[in-house]
Amino acid sequence: MPSVAAAVARPFAAIPEARRKQMGLLLLAAAALLFPLYHNNDADIDSMANAAAYASLALGLNIVVGFTGLLDLGYAAFFAIGAYVYGILSSFQLQPDWSSFWVPFQYLGLVAQMPGESSGFVVHFTLSFWLALPLAALVAAGCGIAFGAPTLRLKGDYLAIVTLGFGEIVPIVVRNWASLTNGAAGLNGVAAPQLFGHSFGVNATPYYYVAILLVGFLVFVSIRLRDSRIGRAWMAIREDEIAAGAMGVNRTRFKLLAFATGAAFAGATGVLYVAKLQTATPDMFGFPVSVMILVMIVFGGIGSVWGAVAGAFFLQLLQSWWLEDLTGWLNSLGRLVGSRWLAHIDLVPSIELIFGFILVFMMLYRRQGLIPAYRPPSALSFEQQHAVVQRGFGELNLPGLGGSARPGVTALGVRGVTVKFGGLVALNGVTLEVPEGAVVAVIGPNGSGKSTLFNVITGLVPADAGSIRFHDDEILGLHDYQILAKGIARTFQNIRLFPNLTVLQNVLVGQHARLRTGALSAVIRPPGTRREEREADAWAMEILAIFGNRLVPRAGQAVSGLSYANRRRTEIARALASRPRLLLLDEPTAGMNPAETLELAEQIKGLKGLGLTVLLIEHKLDVVTTLADTVYVLDHGDVIAKGTPAEVRRNEDVLRAYLGRNAQAAAAGEVGTEHVA
Ligand code: ADP
Ligand code: MG
């Protein structure tokens, strides 16, 4: 079988991939536009319009769950909000008494004057469908922000439960606020859209076209956002929140943006949906709807834009077309073989059971969904692996990295910093100074507080006392992303990359704080944004070239498939991409063999040569000796020694801390040649 597929695919293989994608897109668009013409069946066109509406919802939820990794179980609430915004403002539900207040709105065509039931005139709301689409999107986005602001600090399960609650609250409010929504009976007389004076009426075809255009627009927006600074920030949050913050992503803001964008998609879809049905009832937006949309994106491939569309169409059409057909066939089969059970079986009511089975099968056999968001990288060829891209540091084009170090000026001044975890004093009044352009090393036994020192400098843990000044600013108390923006970038002892993103994407996230693109320019992509992206790519590749041919040939590969040493290098590259003035490296050579360690030490030396200031935690004393100007020794949260590497090696307290009081004499000769601690 695979050979047949290969034979079919062969003539297309010569066409460049971008062109093939364009052709596929064109065919798909043509088929979608022609469908009502060659398949002139109103019920089927209506099913397709419904499927397209669900595809729009799935695209919105995909931004929240797929891109940003926030599990939202109450997404249909935003669908309801959009639906009722249009439903209420275009029906006879609200009829306040007419007054001069409404005159300007009458001129705008938003309301009309209507004779009241008893006497005088009342207001009839006549909001246009086309105006309602963006308006409902805005209202839903506003609700998304209002709901998200207090809750998005919650993670994982907690967030899921809160969204579940929200998804329940909205239909309940709708059901009980009868004066506004007409309760369970539903709105009636919602106006059909008008275009050039013609009403859409009850024919499904115009709704189908609007729905298809909406899907096309939302696919476009999704893809543009995904491939931008915004999408990278979202995916960084999904992959590793702490690392995202440390690389300059304002997590709260970007989570809210994702929530609001997803809500906006649902709000606009809600308008289309009620306009088509010309009614809205609370049970159109309950928990099963949220779950169904979630199943659609899981089925299509979490995080995959086309997957969300495919999943929505497949499951909707399964429900409205194929299950009926299948039921018919099974019934005929039952009559044929004389089985009463088969002859009367009806699959349509068991749709939720069937969804359940589909979900279980997908999780067991194809977790990445119909159209996976990430393709497994192809293995590198021998030539690629051995391509020579090694350039000397002098040949690299790294303007702005390091810059001019002024000797004698303090870059980082840590004064009397104390960090306590409950009863444990991890740092006890630590004072430390990093001069500009220097490499300062921090050594000490395991658990002595070295990583905690990095965490407090980068805003990951709060300090109980002390001060940390970076150049002229106090940075203690700032958020992690603000500290990165000031010019302090770090790596983590236990590598924290964004595993499903490529090497290049990881390094691009490192530039987050240095790029300006907002959500709107990410979608519109004006020339300034294009230039920024081009420059960001070029800068990322230049940073990768610091590591010779280790990372450059792998720029397009997912980080999860890299070797340990290459992941360490990627993490350093990501930190460097943010153009730091101070680089914090937490045990950068851990897990590297001696040759790799030597190579990395050379590269760090090269960075120092560029004028970059480095604070380094390192266990291998030979590395410390070759690199560091000054060494601080921590033990149980105290600085027990400070000096040049040679001075520190001879220090009695240091020997004692590392080797224990008894072994001190015996081991005096060994320290300094091998790994310590
Ligand atoms: P090092 O990097 O020198 O090996 P750490 O800074 O990681 O040491 O840890 C110093 C001490 O603080 C250890 O005893 C560790 O268990 C404790 N510690 C570190 N982080 C936390 C935390 N988030 N909560 C509680 N204790 C912590
Ligand atoms: Mg540590």
Side-chain angles (χ1 to χ4, degrees):
M1 282 311 273
S3 62
V4 176
V8 172
R10 199 169 300 134
F12 298 104
I15 307 171
E17 191 183 329
R19 177 50 68 79
R20 248 183 300 165
K21 272 190 182 160
Q22 269 178 0
M23 282 165 54
L25 208 60
L26 223 66
L27 278 177
L28 198 66
L33 291 178
L34 292 176
F35 173 76
L37 302 181
Y38 65 72
H39 189 90
N40 204 353
N41 173 331
D42 204 59
D44 284 353
I45 296 171
D46 187 65
S47 303
M48 283 291 275
N50 271 339
Y54 271 92
S56 304
L57 292 171
L59 284 166
L61 188 62
N62 186 47
I63 286 182
V64 180
V65 180
F67 289 175
T68 321
L70 306 169
L71 185 52
D72 182 352
L73 294 179
Y75 182 66
F78 300 114
F79 183 33
I81 289 168
Y84 275 92
V85 164
Y86 177 64
I88 292 168
L89 294 181
S90 72
S91 67
F92 296 93
Q93 181 61 37
L94 293 185
Q95 302 187 358
D97 287 334
W98 184 265
S99 69
S100 57
F101 171 80
W102 298 103
V103 175
F105 296 100
Q106 191 182 18
Y107 281 119
L108 293 172
L110 300 176
V111 299
Q113 202 181 26
M114 188 175 74
E117 267 166 31
S118 46
S119 64
F121 288 98
V122 293
V123 176
H124 173 209
F125 287 96
T126 54
L127 178 68
S128 142
F129 171 80
W130 309 105
L131 214 56
L133 282 175
L135 178 73
L138 277 181
V139 172
C143 292
I145 290 174
F147 167 72
T151 55
L152 284 179
R153 264 173 297 124
L154 301 172
K155 284 185 191 151
D157 312 347
Y158 299 107
L159 180 68
I161 289 168
V162 171
T163 56
L164 186 67
F166 185 63
E168 288 298 296
I169 289 169
V170 169
I172 291 174
V173 169
V174 165
R175 186 168 292 122
N176 290 293
W177 194 345
S179 60
L180 188 69
T181 64
N182 204 23
L187 292 171
N188 45 48
V190 177
Q194 301 227 336
L195 191 63
F196 307 125
H198 295 284
S199 171
F200 276 24
V202 290
N203 187 335
T205 307
Y207 297 101
Y208 167 80
Y209 280 119
V210 174
I212 289 293
L213 287 179
L214 186 64
V215 173
F217 174 69
L218 297 183
V219 164
F220 173 79
V221 171
S222 296
I223 290 178
R224 281 278 168 103
L225 285 174
R226 182 193 65 193
D227 300 338
S228 73
R229 168 176 178 265
I230 308 293
R232 289 192 298 264
W234 283 340
M235 293 189 278
I237 291 172
R238 177 193 68 199
E239 298 286 310
D240 189 327
E241 256 193 56
I242 289 181
M247 292 328 296
V249 176
N250 180 341
R251 282 166 289 174
T252 316
R253 177 190 297 178
F254 278 85
K255 282 185 189 176
L256 275 180
L257 182 62
F259 226 62
T261 312
F265 282 26
T269 312
V271 173
L272 173 69
Y273 205 71
V274 270
K276 190 163 82 63
L277 289 178
Q278 284 157 29
T279 180
T281 60
D283 40 68
M284 280 157 51
F285 311 101
F287 178 63
V289 177
S290 294
V291 171
M292 186 155 82
I293 304 166
L294 196 61
V295 172
M296 285 166 175
I297 64 171
V298 171
F299 180 67
I302 294 186
S304 156
V305 172
W306 287 110
V309 176
F313 269 90
F314 183 88
L315 292 181
Q316 266 295 304
L317 296 182
L318 175 74
Q319 195 171 0
S320 53
W321 292 356
W322 300 321
L323 275 189
E324 264 175 51
D325 293 348
L326 198 62
T327 302
W329 294 334
L330 286 181
N331 292 352
S332 322
L333 185 71
R335 284 193 292 275
L336 202 69
V337 300
S339 155
R340 275 182 62 85
W341 178 72
L342 261 188
H344 292 100
I345 194 170
D346 186 1
L347 294 176
V348 179
S350 337
I351 182 71
E352 274 157 23
L353 183 71
I354 293 169
F355 277 7
F357 277 121
I358 289 178
L359 214 54
V360 171
F361 271 99
M362 288 306 276
M363 286 301 109
L364 287 177
Y365 298 110
R366 197 176 164 86
R367 221 163 300 167
Q368 70 274 39
L370 277 183
I371 305 179
Y374 307 100
R375 268 180 296 176
S378 47
L380 291 188
S381 67
F382 182 85
E383 289 75 24
Q384 281 171 316
Q385 289 204 31
H386 295 83
V388 180
V389 282
Q390 186 74 59
R391 290 183 275 167
F393 252 89
E395 297 155 52
L396 292 171
N397 183 21
L398 297 168
L401 197 59
S404 55
R406 298 159 295 177
V409 178
T410 304
L412 182 79
V414 178
R415 304 245 174 290
V417 166
T418 298
V419 174
K420 293 180 189 156
F421 296 112
L424 181 96
V425 183
L427 291 178
N428 184 18
V430 168
T431 294
L432 170 152
E433 202 163 272
V434 184
E436 273 189 24
V439 174
V440 173
V442 178
I443 64 171
N446 273 330
S448 57
K450 305 181 297 294
S451 296
T452 304
L453 176 67
F454 273 26
N455 289 344
V456 74
I457 293 172
T458 54
L460 243 54
V461 301
D464 293 280
S467 124
I468 302 177
R469 291 186 79 79
F470 182 56
H471 293 283
D472 301 321
D473 307 318
E474 176 68 45
I475 57 167
L476 203 57
L478 293 186
H479 288 291
D480 45 5
Y481 62 91
Q482 293 169 318
I483 291 170
L484 180 112
K486 289 215 177 284
I488 301 182
R490 70 171 292 175
T491 64
F492 291 87
Q493 180 175 355
N494 40 358
I495 308 174
R496 301 193 84 122
L497 286 165
F498 310 121
N500 285 311
L501 304 189
T502 64
V503 172
L504 181 64
Q505 285 174 317
N506 268 273
V507 177
L508 286 171
V509 173
Q511 297 183 56
H512 179 86
R514 308 292 170 231
L515 305 178
R516 295 273 71 88
T517 304
L520 205 59
S521 41
V523 174
I524 300 169
R525 256 190 222 170
T529 299
R530 287 169 199 270
R531 180 162 13 91
E532 188 180 86
E533 277 294 291
R534 266 200 312 277
E535 287 170 3
D537 278 342
W539 175 249
M541 291 312 289
E542 205 61 27
I543 293 285
L544 291 181
I546 290 175
F547 301 96
N549 70 348
R550 301 282 193 179
L551 296 180
V552 172
R554 295 175 176 82
Q557 298 211 335
V559 161
S560 55
L562 294 184
S563 71
Y564 189 78
N566 274 340
R567 275 186 274 155
R568 283 242 175 255
R569 293 184 185 106
T570 307
E571 205 191 17
I572 297 173
R574 185 180 67 179
L576 286 173
S578 72
R579 301 173 194 265
R581 289 193 283 170
L582 170 64
L583 179 64
L584 308 186
L585 299 173
D586 196 343
E587 303 196 22
T589 69
M592 287 190 174
N593 66 33
E596 292 171 332
T597 302
L598 207 64
E599 183 187 314
L600 186 65
E602 278 307 309
Q603 285 150 353
I604 296 173
K605 233 186 220 169
L607 293 172
K608 184 191 174 188
L610 293 176
L612 189 68
T613 314
V614 180
L615 181 58
L616 174 79
I617 294 176
E618 187 50 71
H619 265 176
K620 297 175 187 166
L621 275 201
D622 44 352
V623 176
V624 171
T625 312
T626 50
L627 282 179
D629 302 301
T630 312
V631 180
Y632 284 81
V633 187
L634 277 183
D635 187 29
H636 293 301
D638 290 307
V639 175
I640 57 167
K642 175 205 165 184
T644 64
E647 286 166 1
V648 165
R649 261 193 203 183
R650 288 193 299 270
N651 187 305
E652 295 272 314
D653 291 334
V654 177
L655 296 179
R656 200 175 304 131
Y658 267 109
L659 300 161
R661 283 157 222 284
N662 302 333
Q664 142 194 26
E670 287 173 26
V671 181
T673 51
E674 268 308 309
H675 305 183
V676 176

